[in-house]
Amino acid sequence: MSSFLNKVLVILFLSASALSFSQSQLINGPMVGYSAMRESAVWVQTDGEASVSLIYYTIPTGSEAVKKFRSEPVQTSVESAYTATLVADSLEPGRTYTYQVEVDGEILDFDYPTTFKSQELWQHRTEPPNWTMAMGSCTYINEKKYDRPGKPYGGDYQIFESIFEQSPDMMLWLGDNTYLREVDWDSKSGFQHRYTHSRDVGEMRPLIGSANNYAIWDDHDYGPNNADRSYIHKNWALETFKEFWANPSYGFKDEECATTMFTYNDAAFFMLDNRWFKSPNDRKTGNRVYLGEKQIQWLIDALVTSKATFKFVAVGGQVLNTVDKYENYATYPEERKMLLDAIFEEGIKNVIFLTGDRHKTELSKLERGDNKIYDLTVSPLTSTAYNSVDEKNENRVEGTHYGKRNFGIMKMSGPYKERKATIEIRDTDGELIWTRDIERW
């Protein structure tokens, strides 16, 4: 073997060795997930196998010293698209913490605030804290080589910066948080690619790095358009959803699905799954199912039990829109009636549905006697918008339809017995479109 070839082989070997020992880095995140009084979660995604940990610090008050904590390390792997949910479990209630991410021994800092806050222990002590929630649905991130030809369907990504500027405590993602394409539907790696691509948005990073993020899904992050219980790869969909979101739990009782429930300060959130149990839109025989009997009975039980000031029910499709079209709940009239009747007959008050899907925003209200139900639809964030102001939604609150890209802000304020939710709908640049107050009833 020539000396020249020996040198080439040595160089290649040394290069390969250097690569094999190089440290992995983050490609997505950090994203703050759920928050409780004693713990909070932070999600990350690395570019290869790595050991990742969360390092977090108290922000001292008065003369106290800074305290440093480290989460248990998590090993990322190709099976879960190199994602990890790190848990900070040494928290005290009502404290704000700064954090860093450690990847293979290297501590990473970021050029935007990375903080999380544990929930406050206010019960039996003080009035509930004031806090702010952001929300929206339908996030389409363009990827030209896999998108349909023609005008890009997504845009105005600066909307995420506008949301961040509102300083929300939490961000509620109301479904269609990513748009699976034809190229993605028939492989687990396709799902993981789409979720990875949709999270890789520079304008989004400050928002997800500091606010608590919770999510439901709709058809486009579950499978093909209008996908239902028949979708053969629904298990891949659920696995990927769990890999990329840090909700506190998934499923209820003995049922596997994306449903969860959590409290945030004085409010309760019931996060429903409108895909796992749903019968096909065009099915002509058998029971027409949208949420399903088990999920509805669980929801009614949980609503009756809840003592929250407001009970927010998050679901992908519109609930109170009376138009029997698209995937509005009105297309499943028997089940819709069963759910709404149960809320009224049980005397459950302060129920507000939070919905998406329709690429337009509006507030709907249904009243019976001294009780009422609201449905706030907020859509789209970055997908193409549709102006359906002429749609005959008999429950629409006058002046609340908006047919362009937008996001919602809800500010919770006031003493416990006089709690108020102030809704603000803002455009992509953060300009106020309309506002309404909903007082506890």
Side-chain angles (χ1 to χ4, degrees), residues 195-220:
Y195 274 68
T196 298
H197 178 264
S198 297
R199 193 63 58 80
D200 188 13
V201 180
E203 295 90 340
M204 191 187 295
R205 296 184 190 281
L207 170 63
I208 65 175
S210 58
N212 294 112
N213 291 267
Y214 300 85
I216 59 171
W217 65 12
D218 201 16
D219 52 340
H220 293 295

Side-chain angles (χ1 to χ4, degrees), residues 236-437:
W236 288 345
L238 185 57
E239 289 169 5
T240 310
F241 189 77
K242 291 178 178 180
E243 290 165 357
F244 280 80
W245 292 105
N247 286 345
S249 65
Y250 303 88
F252 60 95
K253 296 182 180 178
D254 58 348
E255 195 70 60
E256 185 177 42
C257 59
T259 306
T260 190
M261 181 265 173
F262 63 93
T263 57
Y264 199 92
N265 293 322
D266 60 306
F269 289 81
F270 306 86
M271 311 282 278
L272 302 187
D273 187 333
N274 68 334
R275 294 294 150 187
W276 196 264
F277 309 101
K278 180 178 174 292
S279 57
N281 291 339
D282 299 327
R283 180 75 184 263
K284 294 182 175 59
T285 61
N287 293 331
R288 286 179 51 76
V289 173
Y290 186 72
L291 299 174
E293 175 73 15
K294 289 185 68 174
Q295 186 170 204
I296 288 177
Q297 293 306 321
W298 167 82
L299 174 63
I300 296 300
D301 286 349
L303 287 172
V304 168
T305 302
S306 175
K307 305 303 180 186
T309 57
F310 285 102
K311 303 167 183 67
F312 295 110
V313 183
V315 60
Q318 286 191 291
V319 174
L320 294 187
N321 190 334
T322 56
V323 175
D324 181 5
K325 197 175 181 181
Y326 308 113
E327 286 203 301
N328 293 342
Y329 206 4
T331 63
Y332 289 75
E334 294 83 5
E335 187 182 284
R336 177 179 179 271
K337 183 178 185 301
M338 178 177 68
L339 173 58
L340 298 180
D341 285 351
I343 293 173
F344 284 118
E345 290 170 8
E346 293 287 349
I348 305 168
K349 294 190 175 183
N350 306 298
V351 174
I352 301 176
F353 285 91
L354 302 175
T355 60
D357 175 57
R358 290 298 312 284
H359 298 253
K360 56 93 172 279
T361 284
E362 64 185 349
L363 179 65
S364 301
K365 180 172 72 171
L366 179 64
E367 294 187 85
R368 292 186 192 173
D370 64 349
N371 202 357
K372 51 194 169 184
I373 299 172
Y374 287 93
D375 180 356
L376 175 61
T377 303
V378 184
S379 175
L381 289 167
T382 65
S383 302
T384 294
Y386 296 103
N387 190 335
S388 58
V389 67
D390 294 330
E391 190 174 88
K392 304 301 182 183
N393 174 12
E394 297 172 5
N395 291 326
R396 180 189 296 155
V397 175
E398 185 177 357
T400 63
H401 181 279
Y402 187 68
K404 298 180 181 179
R405 290 171 177 148
N406 70 99
F407 65 93
I409 292 290
M410 187 175 291
K411 298 178 179 180
M412 308 295 293
S413 63
Y416 182 78
K417 293 183 178 180
E418 300 172 5
R419 204 63 165 155
K420 179 175 67 175
T422 299
I423 303 168
E424 299 175 353
I425 299 301
R426 295 180 176 270
D427 68 13
T428 54
D429 295 319
E431 294 298 318
L432 183 65
I433 304 303
W434 60 257
T435 183
R436 296 289 189 281
D437 286 339

Side-chain angles (χ1 to χ4, degrees), residues 119-220:
Q119 292 194 43
E120 295 188 34
L121 179 59
W122 60 272
Q123 295 87 343
H124 308 292
R125 293 163 175 81
T126 66
E127 295 290 356
N130 295 340
W131 56 279
T132 299
M133 167 174 59
M135 69 191 82
S137 67
C138 301
T139 302
Y140 191 102
I141 307 301
N142 299 323
E143 189 176 17
K144 186 174 181 180
K145 66 178 179 177
Y146 297 126
D147 294 343
R148 297 180 184 181
K151 182 181 178 180
Y153 195 65
D156 286 326
Y157 302 154
Q158 78 274 12
I159 195 171
F160 300 117
E161 296 171 322
S162 298
I163 300 172
F164 173 71
E165 289 170 1
Q166 295 296 317
S167 301
D169 297 291
M170 65 172 284
M171 173 70 186
L172 187 60
W173 300 81
L174 291 170
D176 293 339
N177 312 308
T178 187
Y179 276 70
L180 294 161
R181 322 288 207 263
E182 293 86 350
V183 70
D184 305 320
W185 294 333
D186 57 358
S187 68
K188 177 68 183 296
S189 61
F191 273 81
Q192 292 174 331
H193 169 84
R194 184 56 48 212
Y195 274 68
T196 298
H197 178 264
S198 297
R199 193 63 58 80
D200 188 13
V201 180
E203 295 90 340
M204 191 187 295
R205 296 184 190 281
L207 170 63
I208 65 175
S210 58
N212 294 112
N213 291 267
Y214 300 85
I216 59 171
W217 65 12
D218 201 16
D219 52 340
H220 293 295

Side-chain angles (χ1 to χ4, degrees), residues 15-193:
S15 299
S17 299
L19 287 172
S20 66
F21 287 103
S22 65
Q23 292 176 326
S24 295
Q25 294 294 317
L26 294 188
I27 58 173
N28 278 319
M31 178 187 74
V32 182
Y34 70 85
S35 172
M37 293 187 191
R38 292 192 178 276
E39 68 180 41
S40 188
V42 174
W43 174 95
V44 295
Q45 185 181 24
T46 60
D47 62 1
E49 291 187 357
S51 176
V52 291
S53 300
L54 186 70
I55 302 173
Y56 53 105
Y57 309 83
T58 57
I59 297 178
T61 59
S63 61
E64 70 177 3
V66 174
K67 295 182 180 180
K68 177 182 176 181
F69 306 90
R70 184 188 301 269
S71 73
E72 290 295 320
V74 176
Q75 186 74 25
T76 65
S77 66
V78 64
E79 290 79 12
S80 59
Y82 306 114
T83 61
T85 296
L86 309 172
V87 177
D89 58 3
S90 298
L91 308 185
E92 288 295 323
R95 296 294 301 264
T96 300
Y97 297 79
T98 61
Y99 70 88
Q100 300 168 306
V101 177
E102 184 178 66
V103 182
D104 284 340
E106 180 183 358
I107 297 176
L108 306 181
D109 289 303
F110 306 91
D111 59 0
Y112 50 84
T114 50
T115 62
F116 57 79
K117 184 178 180 180
S118 56
Q119 292 194 43
E120 295 188 34
L121 179 59
W122 60 272
Q123 295 87 343
H124 308 292
R125 293 163 175 81
T126 66
E127 295 290 356
N130 295 340
W131 56 279
T132 299
M133 167 174 59
M135 69 191 82
S137 67
C138 301
T139 302
Y140 191 102
I141 307 301
N142 299 323
E143 189 176 17
K144 186 174 181 180
K145 66 178 179 177
Y146 297 126
D147 294 343
R148 297 180 184 181
K151 182 181 178 180
Y153 195 65
D156 286 326
Y157 302 154
Q158 78 274 12
I159 195 171
F160 300 117
E161 296 171 322
S162 298
I163 300 172
F164 173 71
E165 289 170 1
Q166 295 296 317
S167 301
D169 297 291
M170 65 172 284
M171 173 70 186
L172 187 60
W173 300 81
L174 291 170
D176 293 339
N177 312 308
T178 187
Y179 276 70
L180 294 161
R181 322 288 207 263
E182 293 86 350
V183 70
D184 305 320
W185 294 333
D186 57 358
S187 68
K188 177 68 183 296
S189 61
F191 273 81
Q192 292 174 331
H193 169 84

